[in-house]
Amino acid sequence: MDKITVILNEGPDTMRSWNGLRVAGALLDVSLEVEVVLFDEAVICAKKGQNPPEDLKGLNLAQKLTDLMKLGVKVLVCGSCCEAKGLKKEEVIDGAQVCCLMDVANAIKSGKQTLVF
């Protein structure tokens, strides 16, 4: 099965990361393996305890990531970016892997394509 790597750079307060995760889900629907990498502000998408207002519950990206992981998506969270944003490893959602740049390089190398949002 071909693999696609999806890289997100923006936090949960923008539509760009939400759309990237929607695309990741759609890629699963067309029988592709998907790996999501969170850089920069996007590491906050994997923060536990997000509680958006009721009318924005669909934009809880931690929940969207959790749902995608249940479907087989691997989620890598940049460790250096977490440090820079003050996000501790224990604050990252269960199942997401805090990683180093070599892990990201390997995800890109093993994928057929890389999409950046």
Side-chain angles (χ1 to χ4, degrees):
M1 179 185 309
D2 289 333
K3 184 180 98 174
I4 305 292
T5 303
V6 176
I7 298 176
L8 305 180
N9 289 293
E10 300 207 17
D13 56 338
T14 71
M15 296 298 289
R16 182 170 279 172
S17 287
W18 183 73
N19 283 323
L21 294 179
R22 288 179 55 225
V23 169
L27 292 169
L28 289 175
D29 290 341
V30 295
S31 302
L32 291 168
E33 181 181 344
V34 180
E35 196 160 358
V36 173
V37 178
L38 306 178
F39 275 128
D40 196 17
E41 293 290 328
V43 299
I44 303 301
C45 295
K47 186 177 186 315
K48 290 179 184 175
Q50 292 182 31
N51 191 22
E54 189 61 40
D55 56 336
L56 298 175
K57 288 287 187 198
L59 297 179
N60 182 334
L61 297 189
Q63 185 60 55
K64 182 72 172 165
L65 285 165
T66 298
D67 293 345
L68 287 171
M69 285 188 291
K70 289 177 184 173
L71 296 173
V73 172
K74 183 175 181 181
V75 176
L76 300 176
V77 184
C78 173
S80 297
C81 297
C82 285
E83 282 185 41
K85 302 300 175 191
L87 183 65
K88 296 180 173 101
K89 187 174 184 175
E90 57 272 8
E91 294 178 294
V92 173
I93 56 173
D94 296 335
Q97 175 188 342
V98 176
C99 68
C100 66
L101 203 51
M102 285 305 296
D103 297 319
V104 175
N106 284 321
I108 293 168
K109 180 181 176 184
S110 64
K112 184 172 184 169
Q113 292 181 323
T114 301
L115 304 174
V116 180
F117 288 84

